[in-house]
């Protein structure tokens, strides 16, 4: 075997370090970049304000103008993902079916711990899948922070607002979509909700809280906000006190819509008790409930683990939607 002298080894090591320095991303390159301004969807999508004037009850506290945090992602995920912060003017973004129109619509509530809204990973990326299946998809950009209980990084504790602003926005969005059924070419009786993490909690709230949580502002608020079906992915905020207590602020009603729940056992952010407790409560109330629990998948997997068992959840949702007659 040929041996290399120490000087040659040293030269090779220096060359290797130089190459690594020139090609490897720096820590600064991997940090998310925050830019001021209202989030804008890609061409072909329509973003609309959901309230005709100022939203009811404003924001939890004075906050800076809306801004967007951009995270670097692998090329197969578009190279980036976006989260929206300091949302004072909630909107909905409409994505229409790509080919055939089934007449079914889904309002998507992205997660973000009610601190922000992860509008691409758990919003527009989900809509890309749904619209490919002939479903009209609407992404909700609800008020945050403070639309529901959230963790305050500065104060280092949870804050529970007295006014559920995110739920107000969610109810209004469902009503607004139903009011536009003819315009959007959808069946007003086939409008569902799908939420991720904190958005999964909004799914539970809109399914079980049917009375308006705000004073009516126009005729649209006379329309029902009850979804016709519901999908909750790794929901949070439901089980409290280390899994020993069900959220006392969340009622469970027997008229809640058929519900699909999926989560991974190894979720480090929202423990599995959220899905288990919610599914058990719905079942006890007589609500048709389908549950899929995966051994692995972590949190916030969205559509990004297609080669793992947890990546089968979209196919399971599609089959379930066909079974309950909405697709």
């Amino acid at each position: 075997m040929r041996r290399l002298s120490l000087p040659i080894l040293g030269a090779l090591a220096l060359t290797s370090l130089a190459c690594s320095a020139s090609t490897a991303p720096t820590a600064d390159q991997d940090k998310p970049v925050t830019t001021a301004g209202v989030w804008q969807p890609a061409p072909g999508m329509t973003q609309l304000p959901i309230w005709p004037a100022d939203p009811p009850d404003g924001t939890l506290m004075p906050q800076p103008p809306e801004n967007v945090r951009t995270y670097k992602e692998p090329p197969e995920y578009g190279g980036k993902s976006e989260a929206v912060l300091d949302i004072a003017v909630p909107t909905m973004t409409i994505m229409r079916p790509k080919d055939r129109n089934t007449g079914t619509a889904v309002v998507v509530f992205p997660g973000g711990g009610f601190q922000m809204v992860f509008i691409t990973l758990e919003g527009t990326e989900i809509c890309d899948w749904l619209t490919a299946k002939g479903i009209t998809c609407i992404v909700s950009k609800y008020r945050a922070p403070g639309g529901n209980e959230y963790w305050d990084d500065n104060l280092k504790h949870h804050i529970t607002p007295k006014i559920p602003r995110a739920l107000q926005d969610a109810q209004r969005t469902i009503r607004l979509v139903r009011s536009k059924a003819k315009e959007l070419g959808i069946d007003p009786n086939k409008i569902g909700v799908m939420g991720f993490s904190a958005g999964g909690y909004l799914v539970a709230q809109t399914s079980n809280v049917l009375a308006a949580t705000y004073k009516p502002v126009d005729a649209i608020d006379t329309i029902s906000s009850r979804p016709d079906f519901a999908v909750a992915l790794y929901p949070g905020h439901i089980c409290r006190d280390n899994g020993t207590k069900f959220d006392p602020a969340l009622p469970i009603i027997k008229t809640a819509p058929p519900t699909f729940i999926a989560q991974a056992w190894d979720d480090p952010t929202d423990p599995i008790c959220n899905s288990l407790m919610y599914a058990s409560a719905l079942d006890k109330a007589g609500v048709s409930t389908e549950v899929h629990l995966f051994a692995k998948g972590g949190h916030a997997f969205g559509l990004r683990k297609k080669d793992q068992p947890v990546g089968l959840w979209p196919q399971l949702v599609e089959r379930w939607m066909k079974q309950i007659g909405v697709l």
Side-chain angles (χ1 to χ4, degrees):
M1 181 175 69
R2 184 181 178 184
R3 297 181 179 273
L4 296 177
S5 67
L6 286 176
I8 294 176
L9 286 171
L12 288 173
L14 289 173
T15 303
S16 175
L17 287 172
C19 290
S20 298
S22 62
T23 58
T26 65
D28 287 340
Q29 287 176 318
D30 289 335
K31 289 182 179 179
V33 177
T34 302
T35 55
V38 176
W39 175 80
Q40 297 298 325
M45 308 179 195
T46 304
Q47 182 174 207
L48 301 171
I50 62 172
W51 301 100
D54 293 336
D57 301 304
T59 56
L60 176 64
M61 60 186 72
Q63 60 189 38
E66 184 174 308
N67 54 93
V68 180
R69 185 174 295 170
T70 303
Y71 298 81
K72 187 177 181 181
E73 300 282 4
E76 59 266 32
Y77 304 131
K80 67 176 183 179
S81 65
E82 296 171 317
V84 190
L85 296 83
D86 297 312
I87 303 166
V89 181
T91 66
M92 67 179 192
T93 296
I94 302 169
M95 296 176 64
R96 295 176 179 268
K98 295 178 180 178
D99 295 311
R100 65 189 180 94
N101 183 357
T102 64
T104 299
V106 172
V107 177
V108 176
F109 302 123
F114 295 118
Q115 295 175 314
M116 61 188 78
V117 172
F118 282 95
I119 202 149
T120 49
L121 169 65
E122 295 169 342
T124 56
E125 287 184 20
I126 304 302
C127 282
D128 284 337
W129 156 57
L130 291 171
T131 55
K133 300 298 180 181
I135 299 168
T136 299
C137 187
I138 301 92
V139 180
S140 170
K141 188 182 75 176
Y142 50 87
R143 276 171 286 178
N148 261 320
E149 181 198 31
Y150 74 105
W151 174 261
D152 188 292
D153 289 328
N154 295 321
L155 299 177
K156 302 301 179 185
H157 67 77
H158 288 275
I159 293 178
T160 303
K162 294 181 179 180
I163 300 171
R165 294 172 178 84
L167 177 56
Q168 291 177 339
D169 297 340
Q171 288 183 328
R172 174 70 182 187
T173 300
I174 297 169
R175 290 186 170 106
L176 190 56
V177 171
R178 191 162 271 134
S179 75
K180 293 179 176 291
K182 186 175 181 180
E183 175 187 336
L184 295 174
I186 60 176
D187 185 333
N189 298 311
K190 291 184 178 181
I191 299 173
V193 290
M194 181 180 295
F196 302 78
S197 191
Y201 185 67
L202 283 177
V203 165
Q205 285 187 310
T206 54
S207 296
N208 293 280
V209 181
L210 306 186
T213 52
Y214 58 91
K215 292 181 180 179
V217 298
D218 55 26
I220 290 171
D221 290 324
T222 63
I223 299 172
S224 172
S225 66
R226 177 189 179 275
D228 297 300
F229 58 96
V231 179
L233 276 296
Y234 41 92
H237 303 264
I238 294 172
C239 75
R240 308 293 179 93
D241 297 341
N242 297 316
T244 62
K245 184 179 178 182
F246 189 89
D247 175 21
L250 179 64
I252 299 296
I253 60 175
K254 63 181 181 180
T255 55
T259 300
F260 181 105
I261 303 170
Q263 191 169 7
W265 281 97
D266 66 347
D267 190 327
T269 302
D270 289 320
I272 200 75
C273 62
N274 286 278
S275 290
L276 293 174
M277 282 188 171
Y278 186 45
S280 178
L282 288 173
D283 179 67
K284 187 176 180 180
V287 178
S288 175
T289 308
E290 179 150 340
V291 185
H292 294 270
L293 303 176
F294 299 90
K296 296 185 181 298
H299 188 72
F301 46 79
L303 295 171
R304 296 190 175 188
K305 295 190 176 181
K306 297 178 181 179
D307 59 339
Q308 299 181 25
V310 73
L312 294 174
W313 74 262
Q315 298 174 42
L316 296 171
V317 167
E318 186 179 353
R319 292 182 181 183
W320 172 77
M321 289 174 66
K322 290 177 179 178
Q323 183 182 65
I324 65 173
V326 297
L327 189 62

